[in-house]
Amino acid sequence: MADAVAVDTWDARGVRLGDVVNALADLRHQASEHNTARTAVMTLIAVAPGDEDAYSATTALRSLGGHHPARILILRPDPDQVAALDARTTLYAVRADGHQINFEEVTLCVSGQAANHLDSLVEAFTLSDLPVVVWYVNSVPDPGDPLLSVASAVLLDSRDAGGRLRNLLELARRRTVVDLSWIRLAPWRELLAGLFDPAECRAWLDGVTGVEVQGKTGPRTLLGGWLTSQLGLRPDQVALNDGKHVELRVSCRHGGETATFDVQRGERERTVAAQATLPSGPAHHQSISLADDPLPTALAVALTRLRPDVTWEKALSSATNLTV
Amino acid sequence: MTVDLPPNPLAEGLETTRTAPPGVLVVVGASGDLTARKLLPALEQLCRRRLLPHAFAVIGVARTALDDDGFRQLMTSAVPDAAPGWSEIVKHSRYVAGDYVDNETFIRLKGTLSEVEADIGSPGNRTFYLATVPSVFEEVADGLGAAGLNQPVHDDASVRLVIEKPFGRDLDSARGLDAALHRTFAERQIYRIDHYLGKETVQNVLALRFANAIFEPLWNRSYIDHVQITVAESLGVEKRGGFYETAGALRDIVQNHVMQVLSLTLMEPPGSIDAQGIRDEKVKALRSVVIPTLDQVRTDVVRAQYDSGWSEGAAVPAYRQEPDVDPSSQTETYVAMKLEVDNWRWAGVPIYIRTGKRLPKRLTEVALQFQKVPHLAFAADESRDLRPNTLVLRIQPDEGVALRFGAKVPGQAFNVRDVLMDMSYGSAFLEEAPEAYERLLLDAMVGDPTLFIRSDEVDQAWQIVDPLLEAWASKTVPLAGYAAGTWGPRQADQLIEKDGRQWRTP
């Protein structure tokens, strides 16, 4: 699939919301003149105050154009500045297999008090009858954030929660939350689960003596919580260690013998490998490639899973009891 | 022996719940074209999407003299730039060389299976994929049965047999094949592939009909005037002249692909979208199709063969001039027919079917033409361009749904004309759908038979087609000719025009 190409753009500073809506309508009209299909399955709102966040968010979202055709709304709130609204609307086209579809991207730089009331701005841009997904880029919202009222689902990254995991749990009780960290860690979870698929390995799950999780704070805490809740472990059976890459080890004892089940960085670049070490020796090796472009890949997956995830909630809940 | 595996708590909540269970795929005919061109690339894609288990291997069986390393080399070269997990599968894969009529081949296969299963830790799930010519299906099934490979090694293990169309050459031979397979395998173990059913857009017929409330109330004789099913190919027989001489359009397309599309179009809503629900309703729909009498075949069926002509800007030869084709061949490359359906939903709604090679374009579609409005209030000259509404399900290429309806032409006068509201799946989702083989291979290993054809479906489809074959044999239906690159012979137009209708121009 080719990259999204800007067909036309409009931008202005110090505008009223109606001006932006009109500009967007003009762009849409232009798309119909070009006789290209305009299909959308959702409105995608990214809240990205900083320049760097906004850049990475827009780059990732544009790359999704063909997978999840959506109207994209980038919100850049800055409550500390003088009240003003600057805006840019752009019509993008993306082609694949002879098809071209258009999608619109609106960036609103909202300064002043209005930055605390983003919900009052976004409804003018949401597509009727379609889900509204709000992505908090590199931040975790306060459960009382008014913007949440328009969200059918919330995307965030639990690694940004720091010590506020309980806030996340509270949020998950009110809204559908999809955690990008949880999705990025899926290969580790799948590989570890897969090690216990063969009949000769399954029995070892009855005798788990402890688990070790290595990685940065966010992922290691979340995976530690997952192993604790799924394997019914006590917090003292879970060792969390700092490390550059995520690694998992499950140690087991069964019938007087021991076995270990490991998932770690593979020998090849951007691969993860799983290995069971049974009393008879190493067995059941499998490795998989990680996505070259982790953020767009995780986003694309997240947008297909806009529903509550009980396993994630249990993992998060257990993680709050672990010592980081 | 029963092995009760406790649940794997770490697998809870993982999204890839349709992962194949640990097991071995045995490909019989492993050195052939289908294996290298379709099966191995589909398996590698499943591996890439992490839909294959840790404990998985392939065993190739064929007459070709190869050893394990030779087969592994074949597996590697069939999929350049394979996913990293592929090499692990290749490493555990093995090859058994031998003749299919020799029971010793299958006894050696049994030994190899046990070794591989011990090697990878598989609990004994086995899928036998017959990528061979149909003429050896029976021998292979018998060989597997004689070696005891038709039975699972314990109660919780599965044994499945996957075969590809054609399922017989007529009703008798299809029943003979079924009887032969059922000697060794139970019907629930047999997975009959028609790759058409693996196509995303064929499955979309179900989604369109049963996930939307607006279409189903109109999907009946009260609103629909007639149905047209078109399966058109722009290519000729290419290098398949030898095969095509023994098949013809009726066997190659109508008995399987067309009947599958027909049954999905006509079927009643199933109680649930599962294998039994869908397949029961498909069979019921086919049973409602009136089996044509010889008289009806004479009046309602046209068969034809392409002459030379121009196709896609190039001069192309007649069918009889194609390589490996008898210069006086009577094989049809085109069939048009009218079928009737005897049930409450469809009584009185004719189904027009046409399929052929060397037609102007490659296309598969189902068009439901609605009845005219009971009274057209507009003056004749204001609505002369207005035709009845049509809902078109495009299956390939450019998959989508189109609805033709009348709209006012802007201006002072009240002129009404047709407009087309055209939705293309490709424009809604640029995402690449899985290949048909990828989907069907996974379904077979998972044990989901929804998209496979049950024995009674095959039988019913042959019952509809068999009278036509008999008419062919008795030369009751003359073989017409049509120029390559056209929509078929004049007789096909007459077939529908005598009912006051016309073929669509897709």
Side-chain angles (χ1 to χ4, degrees), chain A residues 68-89:
Chain A
H68 299 281
R71 173 174 288 174
I72 296 171
L73 186 57
I74 312 285
L75 297 178
R76 306 198 53 193
D78 189 349
D80 299 329
Q81 293 296 313
V82 178
L85 179 66
D86 301 338
R88 185 173 65 246
T89 65

Side-chain angles (χ1 to χ4, degrees), chain B residues 121-144:
Chain B
S122 163
N125 298 314
R126 297 165 176 178
T127 304
F128 297 99
Y129 196 113
L130 273 51
T132 63
V133 290
S135 56
V136 302
F137 285 172
E138 196 173 329
E139 292 166 6
V140 174
D142 283 345
L144 291 170

Side-chain angles (χ1 to χ4, degrees), chain B residues 29-66:
Chain B
S31 58
D33 184 48
L34 178 69
T35 306
R37 205 164 44 84
K38 294 285 184 189
L39 299 186
L40 293 175
L43 272 181
E44 190 271 341
Q45 276 300 314
L46 290 174
C47 169
R48 188 178 292 275
R49 293 176 201 252
R50 305 207 296 272
L51 298 173
L52 295 179
H54 282 259
F56 181 79
V58 181
I59 298 180
V61 181
R63 294 171 178 139
T64 309
L66 263 184

Side-chain angles (χ1 to χ4, degrees), chain B residues 366-383:
Chain B
V366 180
L368 294 94
Q369 183 161 315
F370 290 85
Q371 293 173 7
K372 293 176 184 166
V373 291
H375 168 66
L376 198 58
F378 307 100
D381 63 336
E382 290 173 335
S383 58

